[in-house]
Amino acid sequence: MTNRIRSAAAALLFLGCLVTLTSAFNLPNRSTNPSPRLVSLSTAAKPVQHRTILTLADRVAYQRAIEEVYWRHRIWPKERPDPKPSLGEVMPSVQLEKKVEDYLRNSEALEDYWKEPLSAEQLQAEMERMAQHTKQPEVLRELFAALGNDPFVIAECLARPALSERLVMSLHGTQIKAGVLRPKVMAAATANYALPAISGEVTGCTDDTWTATSITNAPSGRIHHTAVWTGSEMIIWGGTDAISFFDTGGRYNPSTDSWTATSITNAPSGRESHTAVWSGSEVIVWGGFSTFGYSNTGGRYNPSTDTWAATSTTNAPSGRYNHTAVWSGSEMIVWGGFSTSGYTTTGGRYNPSTNTWAATSTTNAPSGRWFHTDVWSGSEMIVWGGFDGSNNLTTGGRYNPSTNTWAATSTTNAPTGRFSHAAVWSGNEMIVWGGYNLSSYFNTGGRYNPNTDSWTATTIANAPVARYNHTAVWRDSEMIIWGGSDGSSVLNTGGRYSPSADSWTAISTTNVPSGREVHTAVWTGSEMIIWGGTDGLNYFNTGGRYCAQPPVVPQSAFSRKTHGAAGTFDVPLPLTGNVGIECRSGGATNDYQMIINFTNSVTVRGASVTSGTSSMSSFSVSGSQVTVNLTGATNVQRITVTLFNVNDGTHMSNVPVSMGVLIGDVNGNGAVNATDVALTKSQVGMPVGSGNFREDVNASGTISSTDVAIVKSDVGTSLPP
């Protein structure tokens, strides 16, 4: 029982969105005294055509430009009332110099080991790797631009730090002694670098697709760790592999698809089942379980400086694990969990600005529990569900830090009591889903509206299979869940839930990471990144990036035919609801033409008929209009044409457009009957125009007895469902 309960994920995740930028930089020279070897590296000559060198001060200035890009992408929580500080306020010049000197020392260590320096070919290859494998091409473009799009500067100030750290991390002591890690180093014939083309024109991902995250330099496999998204990096920390409690972590940068270890200097002691929040400039971790039992200690990790500072223990809540935490904008609020006194109803508010704690009220607080969930609504912490050792709880509470008061959440129509479920905040509702109650695994859930103190059930139609120990993130208008366990196997499936439509859509399993539970997930603004977890036998250091883009939506679609000398007329094809019906004959080879219009100019990778009987003979793109030519389209059917990887300059997705083919259905009601015959007869001899072109069934340019005969021959047919 205890082992099962302790296999739930401990962290809730904070979401955010990106802002674009360009960066300028300037840094005065600073007198330094690096080793002669570092001086040699810091003054490496540019290619002959540039006829310049990079001094240590140059490198520090370029490092500042790089950090400016990352800093401006860092999420400053909207709840924070204070303005986001400048980079200079959070990262002093001495820290920039340390970063430069660190990567130069790494380069020096590699040269000492290999007896030759990193080659131009290696640095060029690293630039190419970044460009090809980036998960955030827009950020990588900004980094290149911040370095003047100069391939030499990019090689020296972006590629060299990443490559040297990765290679140094691979040089374990025994391998260095054996000399088995030396790669094949090609001699540089020239120092001329080429600026690589960055993959992806927009965001580098296609909706409903998976891409693996790099495992090079990734932290060791683990469970019960935490993960936060900073706006430019996913930072994971802590956890266990059932043997060790980790005080290590890693920073995953999707723009370069690379990992950097978090410092262990002054890091909190290793632990699992702790919590972590992102404050805007720091990851704050607290609590958890370790060799020393239940912890009431924590730490604040600053990714800009790669440094840790301890959280105060004065007035801190009692040590605990499997509690929850939210960031309110100025404080981290922790509550519940299991401590030396059992299932606790206590909590605390930690202010990082003053490094102080204040207790949360216990008056009207929910009963003690663990494996519950909580969300921050913008003004309140809402907790729900969990287990108290005897009961699967359907109760919850809303904590207001401004008044230090609790109010119970309604239990009317609330989901069945459960634990190890998942929860997200949608902007106006808390959505909970899944979980376990010691006898059943759930694929049910509920939406809680704090304004009305009411619950609405989530549909089970097309919902993912029941599970627990899964993860959930909120994406603009959807909750995305993935992974977990159904009690007999770990899962690599998931779903996207739309509360506005109360509907589920399955997640692709193509290239999906292996099934797992007790992993973590973060939302980057366009992608869900999952990492870690276990399948019961293995502790994973692998992960995946799932693209969930808002779809590219056409402005309109039509079926187009030329009616002899009468001109061209279009049958509208609605994009939602009932399909538009093409009532006109396709001629001897059953040819039709679909016109799909977008608001902006688009590019399209390809197109094909994805349902129905027809073939695509050709397609073309002209600005915002796509033309698809079909042949062999049989009568009495529904056809769907899908445009693949449609890119409108903002998003990229597949776009399906459907059409019904029912020759003779001139009124478009889905059936050919006497009404259609009468309508066609009434137009015989009339000029073909926008009001009666549908009655020109053979599209000859005249409405005649031939059209009437065609309609009569199809009476009794109807469009299939």
Side-chain angles (χ1 to χ4, degrees), residues 279-512:
S279 74
S281 57
E282 295 176 321
V283 182
I284 309 176
V285 302
W286 187 81
F289 183 82
S290 71
T291 305
F292 305 105
Y294 310 121
S295 179
N296 74 338
T297 62
R300 292 152 44 193
Y301 176 73
N302 186 328
S304 295
T305 57
D306 189 30
T307 56
W308 285 95
T311 57
S312 172
T313 56
T314 302
N315 297 322
S318 58
R320 63 193 65 196
Y321 74 118
N322 290 324
H323 54 289
T324 53
V326 297
W327 174 251
S328 73
S330 59
E331 296 175 319
M332 173 182 70
I333 307 175
V334 301
W335 187 82
F338 191 84
S339 70
T340 54
S341 59
Y343 301 95
T344 181
T345 190
T346 62
R349 294 154 48 187
Y350 175 73
N351 186 326
S353 298
T354 57
N355 192 27
T356 57
W357 285 94
T360 57
S361 171
T362 56
T363 302
N364 298 322
S367 58
R369 62 194 69 195
W370 68 354
F371 293 110
H372 54 288
T373 53
D374 71 353
V375 299
W376 177 251
S377 72
S379 59
E380 295 176 320
M381 174 181 69
I382 307 176
V383 305
W384 186 82
F387 186 73
D388 67 2
S390 301
N391 304 293
N392 302 287
L393 301 170
T394 191
T395 58
R398 295 154 49 186
Y399 175 73
N400 186 327
S402 298
T403 57
N404 192 27
T405 57
W406 285 94
T409 58
S410 171
T411 57
T412 303
N413 297 323
T416 305
R418 63 194 67 191
F419 61 89
S420 296
H421 52 287
V424 298
W425 175 251
S426 72
N428 57 11
E429 293 177 321
M430 173 182 69
I431 308 176
V432 301
W433 188 84
Y436 180 61
N437 71 352
L438 297 183
S439 62
S440 300
Y441 299 90
F442 295 106
N443 72 340
T444 59
R447 294 152 47 191
Y448 175 74
N449 186 326
N451 293 322
T452 58
D453 189 29
S454 61
W455 285 93
T456 302
T458 58
T459 183
I460 59 172
N462 300 318
V465 297
R467 65 192 67 199
Y468 80 146
N469 290 340
H470 51 290
T471 50
V473 298
W474 176 252
R475 189 235 83 176
D476 300 329
S477 59
E478 295 176 318
M479 174 181 68
I480 306 176
I481 68 98
W482 187 82
S485 170
D486 63 4
S488 59
S489 60
V490 291
L491 304 168
N492 69 349
T493 58
R496 294 159 66 165
Y497 174 73
S498 169
S500 61
D502 189 30
S503 63
W504 285 95
T505 303
I507 283 177
S508 171
T509 55
T510 302
N511 298 322
V512 70

Side-chain angles (χ1 to χ4, degrees), residues 34-59:
S35 74
R37 293 289 296 282
L38 294 184
V39 171
S40 174
L41 283 168
S42 71
T43 58
K46 278 190 176 183
V48 174
Q49 67 266 29
H50 291 287
R51 299 185 182 281
T52 59
I53 62 173
L54 285 183
T55 66
L56 191 63
D58 290 333
R59 289 182 182 273

Side-chain angles (χ1 to χ4, degrees), residues 92-161:
S93 296
V94 65
Q95 188 64 38
L96 291 167
E97 294 166 8
K98 182 181 182 299
K99 286 195 171 190
V100 171
E101 290 171 359
D102 284 347
Y103 79 69
L104 293 179
R105 287 192 180 93
N106 283 342
S107 291
E108 182 179 353
L110 292 168
E111 183 173 347
D112 285 342
Y113 175 63
W114 289 331
K115 308 306 181 186
E116 55 188 319
L118 290 174
S119 68
E121 284 78 6
Q122 286 175 293
L123 295 177
Q124 179 70 49
E126 178 65 9
M127 287 194 292
E128 297 286 351
R129 186 200 66 80
M130 290 179 177
Q132 293 171 12
H133 294 280
T134 180
K135 306 299 187 294
Q136 290 182 311
E138 69 281 4
V139 177
L140 189 59
R141 286 190 185 90
E142 292 176 27
L143 290 168
F144 280 16
L147 301 179
N149 285 315
D150 185 326
F152 174 79
V153 175
I154 294 167
E156 283 294 325
C157 300
L158 192 64
R160 180 182 290 277

